[in-house]
Amino acid sequence: MNHPFGKEEAASQKQLFGFFCECLRRGEWELAQACVPQLQEGQGDIPKRVEDILQALVVCPNLLRCGQDINPQRLAWVWLLVLEKWLAREKKLLPVVFRRKLEFLLLSEDLQGDIPENILEELYETLTQGAVGPMPDGNPRRESCTPRLSSEAISVLWDLLRQSPQPAQALLELLLGEDDGTGFCHWPLQNALVDLIRKALRALQGPDSVPPGVVDAIYGALRTLRCPAEPLGVELRLLCEELLEACRTEGSPLREERLLSCLLHKASRGLVSLYGHTYAEKVTEKPLRATAWGKVSPDHLDPERAMLALFSNPNPAQAWKVAYFYCLSNNKHFLEQILVTALTLLKEEDFPNLGCLLDREFRPLSCLLVLLGWTHCQSLESAKSLLQTLHRTQDPGCDELLRDACDGLWAHLEVLEWCIQQSRCCKSLLNLPGQVSTVSVQYS
């Protein structure tokens, strides 16, 4: 081929584009992929034409020429990765529908023996129609514009959850989509799954024998649920109550640890919070009423009473679980709540409960509590009790700066106590609250 003088680069790129198309026609996929990086640097309309070809290879895999060792769907996945890299260099995003459709086709290869062909076609059509995105007016009632699945298709999906949980979960995640406030989520299918889970929970508590795989189906369905951006519906609240009741029932095959692991994923954060709120309402009522409060005033705020009750529990695992859900449902950080509770006990001079609260996991906070609560001490005895409770029992590995400050406060208390014993005539030294305040200012 003769290159026009001065236009050698453009002619070479045009020749490379022709070679790229010829490789695609002959099914020489490796050679075609090797041409892509150079074609992306091409001039004129060559990059746009190559991008259109790459999209066509992904969208229409059945038209590809394949050998015996690879099928059209797997070959299209290879070109999908090439297209993603192409768009990344152009700072563009790959349309979500491309990946979702292709993932469905790949998954359907392993499910052809488990799902009838007509159901697979219905699921693919639903996936295609649902990928158009949210309603343009932002109407939260997206369920009305979402294609519905037949009852037969939903029944097949539930049976698949019982027999093959992992492939069924992957399929449901594709069908449900993502709920990020703007994306598509198949609400009719999610509502149907919630109804099936609740029905299965009632069957677990019934007198009849439970069919095999029902527990695995419940776990699998919970892993796929999405938490909506709008306020949670009544169905999800009832679901959390029934899940909690099923886990607390003696002899139930459901395990709360595994159930929570199914809910702990990005798309279900709201559902975890709802379960935690339900747990805090139902489970903390009994220990809060059964705990002896000692000197703690009944006028304390509920979170403070709750923290004292929970961490007075001799079972650390139970205390942490209830405290986690309690703080989650009240939008409180548990460390902040522990500090507030400890300060309340300190003001009430309830040092036994204060020591109990800070005896295990929260011992590193003790020196900090000494400095925070120092100005609340009303007498030399209360100051000594504070240091004896929180400082003298500290581990050697605590923060050196805080430990040194507490050591200084202890030395000042010893000086004050010696002065009181040796010099009763110095009335000014008896102004203990003022002395304590002066020491606290010096060591703050």
Side-chain angles (χ1 to χ4, degrees):
M1 177 179 180
N2 296 325
H3 300 289
F5 182 74
K7 298 183 179 180
E8 291 84 355
E9 183 178 0
S12 176
Q13 291 174 355
K14 186 176 181 180
Q15 184 179 8
L16 180 62
F17 177 74
F19 179 72
F20 169 74
C21 295
E22 184 63 25
C23 289
L24 292 178
R25 281 191 291 267
R26 294 198 300 261
E28 298 177 352
W29 310 115
E30 292 82 0
L31 286 175
Q33 290 181 50
C35 299
V36 171
Q38 288 181 282
L39 291 174
Q40 193 166 14
E41 304 295 335
Q43 301 176 359
D45 62 343
I46 289 181
K48 180 63 171 63
R49 294 170 67 184
V50 174
E51 183 176 334
D52 292 341
I53 291 174
L54 293 178
Q55 291 189 11
L57 292 172
V58 175
V59 174
C60 305
N62 292 328
L63 301 181
L64 298 179
R65 178 180 296 178
C66 303
Q68 297 180 354
D69 56 341
I70 189 171
N71 57 25
Q73 289 78 20
R74 298 179 185 273
L75 187 57
W77 183 262
V78 173
W79 286 109
L80 177 70
L81 301 179
V82 175
L83 179 59
E84 281 186 335
K85 187 180 295 186
W86 175 288
L87 295 177
R89 294 185 61 183
E90 297 290 334
K91 296 183 178 180
K92 298 179 182 179
L93 295 177
L94 178 72
V96 180
V97 62
F98 286 4
R99 176 178 284 271
R100 291 179 61 199
K101 287 182 178 180
L102 194 50
E103 286 178 348
F104 181 88
L105 293 176
L106 289 171
L107 188 59
S108 63
E109 295 179 14
D110 301 328
L111 297 176
Q112 288 181 355
D114 299 322
I115 299 181
E117 189 67 27
N118 63 321
I119 300 298
L120 279 176
E121 294 177 359
E122 180 183 355
L123 297 178
Y124 184 76
E125 183 179 355
T126 301
L127 180 73
T128 305
Q129 294 177 1
V132 296
M135 295 180 64
D137 58 355
N139 193 325
R141 292 179 297 179
R142 289 168 287 182
E143 188 171 329
S144 59
C145 67
T146 304
R148 291 182 175 273
L149 288 172
S150 64
S151 58
E152 181 184 1
I154 293 175
S155 178
V156 168
L157 290 174
W158 182 257
D159 291 338
L160 187 63
L161 274 173
R162 292 171 48 194
Q163 300 166 5
S164 305
Q166 292 184 351
Q169 292 168 33
L171 182 57
L172 286 172
E173 287 175 357
L174 284 177
L175 293 171
L176 288 172
E178 296 292 338
D179 175 45
D180 55 2
T182 59
F184 162 77
C185 187
H186 200 301
W187 300 117
L189 175 57
Q190 169 144 311
N191 292 337
L193 283 176
V194 171
D195 292 339
L196 288 172
I197 295 173
R198 295 181 61 192
K199 183 179 179 180
L201 290 174
R202 289 191 291 269
L204 291 180
Q205 299 177 355
D208 299 333
S209 59
V210 181
V214 170
V215 175
D216 290 334
I218 293 175
Y219 290 142
L222 289 175
R223 287 191 181 95
T224 62
L225 292 184
R226 269 62 173 144
C227 183
E230 56 266 15
L232 296 171
V234 179
E235 294 80 6
L236 290 179
R237 296 182 185 275
L238 293 175
L239 173 64
C240 289
E241 293 179 1
E242 293 173 4
L243 286 172
L244 179 60
E245 185 64 26
C247 291
R248 297 175 67 188
T249 302
E250 184 177 358
S252 173
L254 286 180
R255 294 294 175 263
E256 190 175 39
E257 293 78 8
R258 186 174 176 186
L259 184 147
L260 292 175
S261 68
C262 297
L263 297 180
L264 290 174
H265 57 89
K266 182 179 178 180
S268 188
R269 290 178 180 175
L271 195 57
V272 175
S273 299
L274 180 61
Y275 184 88
H277 182 74
T278 305
Y279 191 100
E281 285 182 344
K282 301 295 183 181
V283 178
T284 58
E285 292 176 355
K286 182 177 180 181
L288 287 182
R289 286 194 291 263
T291 302
W293 299 106
K295 294 183 179 179
V296 180
S297 170
D299 297 330
H300 287 172
L301 298 177
D302 287 342
E304 299 170 10
R305 296 166 61 87
M307 288 299 104
L308 178 58
L310 298 179
F311 286 99
S312 297
N313 191 331
N315 185 350
Q318 179 70 13
W320 271 104
K321 183 170 67 173
V322 179
Y324 169 77
F325 284 129
Y326 190 87
C327 293
L328 184 66
S329 63
N330 289 277
N331 295 321
K332 301 255 185 202
H333 196 287
F334 74 95
L335 285 178
E336 176 188 2
Q337 199 56 55
I338 287 294
L339 289 174
V340 172
T341 304
L343 284 174
T344 303
L345 295 173
L346 193 153
K347 293 175 185 178
E348 297 287 338
E349 298 187 5
D350 186 0
F351 295 108
N353 274 329
L354 179 62
C356 179
L357 180 65
L358 301 179
D359 183 46
R360 295 195 299 251
E361 296 88 346
F362 302 112
R363 293 181 71 178
L365 298 176
S366 298
C367 284
L368 177 62
L369 257 299
V370 171
L371 300 181
L372 291 176
W374 185 251
T375 56
H376 298 290
C377 295
Q378 301 298 319
S379 64
L380 179 62
E381 288 72 19
S382 65
K384 287 176 60 178
S385 298
L386 174 64
L387 286 172
Q388 289 173 349
T389 302
L390 299 184
H391 179 50
R392 286 303 184 184
T393 59
Q394 277 303 288
D395 295 330
C398 66
D399 186 88
E400 293 185 4
L401 181 62
L402 295 177
R403 186 175 65 243
D404 291 343
C406 292
D407 288 339
L409 294 176
W410 184 264
H412 277 71
L413 281 183
E414 289 179 339
V415 171
L416 287 173
E417 189 176 17
W418 181 85
C419 291
I420 292 173
Q421 293 174 356
Q422 300 297 324
S423 183
R424 297 287 182 180
C425 61
C426 293
K427 300 292 183 68
S428 60
L429 290 179
L430 297 177
N431 188 12
L432 296 178
Q435 295 289 347
V436 170
S437 299
T438 302
V439 174
S440 67
V441 171
Q442 293 177 355
Y443 285 89
S444 297

